[in-house]
Amino acid sequence: MRIGHTRLRLTWTHLAALVIAAFVAAPLYWMAASSFKGPDEIGANPPDLWPKSATWDNYRQAFADNNFGTYLLNSVAVSIVATILVLSLSAFAGYALARLPLRGKGPIMVALLMISLFPTIALAAPLFLLMRDIGWLNSYQGLILVYTALNVPFAVWILRNFFLGIPKEMEEVAWVDGASPVRTVLSVILPQARPGMFTAAIFTFTACWTEFLIALTLNTADRFRTMPVGLALFGSQFTVPYGTIFAAATVSVLPIALLVLVFRRAVVSGLTAGAVKG
């Protein structure tokens, strides 16, 4: 009787998971399918679930006529550099908060949490004035610096909780062998914290890749615009090129989807460690 009840519960769990997955995947499928449709098919009523005559014109228009390739490269460069800087800073900060005998760890963690939850819109005007004064408007370094500062607190939270789960004996063995604290972190701790590093990297990259308000505020020149800003400015006063927007949006989603698919186990492991370690 208990086995039958367990199987029934698993069946309902799987069905619920399938319904949720379908609910999440349906808009993504519709976006990708519509990117291959012509204007008449996109506006058809009733709508077609699959393009009757698939075309690449929407992708050609996105890259050739709307400069989307430049926006995409800008987002790639800014997101990758900012992610590397965030991991470099948060790894040592997270290790210090997890292992070193520092005073005020509790208030520091609370402050980091409050900073990570601070609304971005409240920072747009001060950041604009700051970047204007130092001459970093319409630049890559200004956006990279801001993205690094905004994402370090959350990455520190993730890595600090993951470092707490690594046995101290591994560090003690390294110290006995004469390793310095920096060498211990680089050679012993970080290799053991790969799932946490992957998790922090994916969250940081996603946050930089999809950020809109700060990029719109700081970089108004077309050659410095990132993908979300460029995508939002598609179209004109009288027309909205839905097919081109669908094509550009499909391309913008692919890197995040591939990252999650490739590193899904590492992400789950890193989030689980962060959830159970205090």
Side-chain angles (χ1 to χ4, degrees):
M1 188 68 179
R2 180 176 299 178
I3 295 177
H5 180 72
T6 302
R7 288 181 178 176
L8 181 62
R9 186 169 60 181
L10 288 175
T11 301
W12 281 108
T13 301
H14 291 160
L15 287 175
L18 288 175
V19 170
I20 295 173
F23 183 79
V24 173
L28 298 177
Y29 166 77
W30 187 255
M31 176 183 67
S34 298
S35 69
F36 294 100
K37 295 179 180 179
D40 295 336
E41 285 190 75
I42 292 177
N45 188 18
D48 297 319
L49 296 179
W50 185 257
K52 294 180 179 179
S53 55
T55 176
W56 290 94
D57 287 345
N58 294 325
Y59 290 90
R60 181 190 59 79
Q61 292 175 6
F63 284 91
D65 301 338
N66 291 276
N67 205 25
F68 188 69
T70 300
Y71 306 149
L72 196 64
L73 290 176
N74 289 341
S75 286
V76 170
V78 169
S79 300
I80 289 178
V81 175
T83 300
I84 293 173
L85 291 176
V86 168
L87 292 180
S88 302
L89 296 172
S90 58
F92 288 97
Y95 176 79
L97 291 171
R99 286 288 195 258
L100 300 184
L102 302 176
R103 292 183 178 179
K105 288 184 180 181
I108 292 175
M109 296 302 296
V110 172
L112 289 175
L113 181 60
M114 293 176 63
I115 292 173
S116 64
L117 296 177
F118 204 77
T120 306
I121 191 171
L123 302 174
L127 288 173
F128 175 83
L129 296 176
L130 175 62
M131 293 301 162
R132 184 197 62 183
D133 292 341
I134 64 178
W136 279 9
L137 290 178
N138 291 318
S139 67
Y140 297 115
Q141 65 269 23
L143 206 55
I144 289 171
L145 177 63
V146 173
Y147 283 174
T148 301
L150 292 177
N151 288 283
V152 161
F154 185 68
V156 170
W157 261 90
I158 293 177
L159 294 179
R160 179 256 183 185
N161 291 336
F162 199 89
F163 290 153
L164 289 174
I166 299 176
K168 286 187 177 182
E169 290 77 10
M170 301 183 65
E171 300 168 67
E172 294 172 354
V173 170
W175 294 339
V176 170
D177 292 339
S180 64
V182 175
R183 180 65 180 274
T184 301
V185 173
L186 295 177
S187 302
V188 179
I189 300 300
L190 293 186
Q192 297 296 320
R194 286 178 183 174
M197 296 290 288
F198 280 130
T199 303
I202 290 176
F203 272 93
T204 301
F205 184 86
T206 302
C208 298
W209 185 261
T210 59
E211 201 283 323
F212 174 79
L213 182 60
I214 298 299
L216 177 65
T217 304
L218 300 185
N219 289 357
T220 56
D222 189 67
R223 67 190 184 98
F224 288 108
R225 284 174 178 159
T226 56
M227 177 269 304
V229 178
L231 182 58
L233 297 178
F234 276 12
S236 63
Q237 182 179 358
F238 302 103
T239 60
V240 179
Y242 290 106
T244 306
I245 292 174
F246 283 136
T250 301
V251 173
S252 67
V253 168
L254 283 178
I256 304 301
L258 292 175
L259 282 175
V260 174
L261 287 175
V262 173
F263 300 111
R264 61 187 184 278
R265 293 187 177 181
V267 172
V268 172
S269 176
L271 290 176
T272 303
V276 300
K277 301 296 181 182

